[in-house]
Amino acid sequence: MNPAAEALTRAGLIGAVSGLRSQWGMAAVAWSARPADVSVTARPWVRGATLASATGEFVVDKSPRVPSRLTPGGLVPRLVLGALSGMALYRRSEGPATSAASPVAAAAAGAVAAGAFACAGAGWRRVAGARTGDAVAAAVEDVVAVALAWVACSPAGVRPPCRRAGHAPQAVEFEGTGTPGTDRAPDGPGE
């Protein structure tokens, strides 16, 4: 996958996390930052604040008194946080290879995915909650959100393995020749 497409895919995935759990997308971006990262999301106070808000949402989400995520008060923050977390994750991978995309496109991908997954999550909770109970449906949604966050923020990312059908294996250059596929290195200790 080309770097620009991968960056936009990651932005969409982290936006999806924000659609399921509004605070978790930004928390995943903050907590997956590398030590050398100088962005705002890598600062200790941001990590602490995002962890506290994600933990609070984890607890409060299980309450039957929480209004629907599809009300304006529930949906607008998910869209905004989906856009912000998508843009923050995009900026982490920004470089010459990702120049085909832009932070605005990453924010849009995050917001669109947040909206789509907010609707899908609400539908899931309505249907599955009626069958298994809301706590079980919420727990499954938590697992899906964590899995999406892990894929979006992991260093391996969303790249396919290099040996897939349709992908040519990379040529290996052997020592001393400068040409692929030939070996002019000694075969044993006697040579």
Side-chain angles (χ1 to χ4, degrees):
M1 182 179 297
N2 77 40
E6 182 180 352
L8 289 177
T9 301
R10 286 175 181 261
L13 288 172
I14 205 66
V17 173
S18 295
L20 296 174
R21 297 285 178 268
S22 63
Q23 305 297 314
W24 289 20
M26 194 55 77
V29 171
W31 280 91
S32 65
R34 292 165 193 80
D37 193 351
V38 295
S39 69
V40 171
T41 58
R43 295 191 176 144
W45 68 270
V46 173
R47 286 180 171 195
T50 59
L51 179 62
S53 63
T55 303
E57 183 179 17
F58 175 76
V59 173
V60 171
D61 178 65
K62 310 308 183 267
S63 170
R65 288 185 237 160
V66 174
S68 170
R69 71 186 84 192
L70 300 180
T71 62
L75 188 58
V76 170
R78 289 172 195 276
L79 297 175
V80 169
L81 288 167
L84 290 174
S85 59
M87 189 169 14
L89 198 55
Y90 171 83
R91 289 214 183 270
R92 182 182 296 168
S93 62
E94 197 171 31
T98 58
S99 62
S102 72
V104 174
V112 168
F117 274 74
C119 293
W124 163 257
R125 290 284 286 273
R126 186 176 47 257
V127 172
R131 291 181 142 174
T132 64
D134 193 55
V136 173
V140 170
E141 193 176 4
D142 291 339
V143 170
V144 170
V146 167
L148 289 171
W150 182 80
V151 171
C153 296
S154 72
V158 290
R159 295 181 187 151
C162 61
R163 291 203 183 261
R164 277 185 40 181
H167 286 57
Q170 295 181 359
V172 177
E173 184 178 310
F174 291 99
E175 182 179 345
T177 65
T179 57
T182 60
D183 181 7
R184 293 198 185 154
D187 286 332
E191 268 186 63

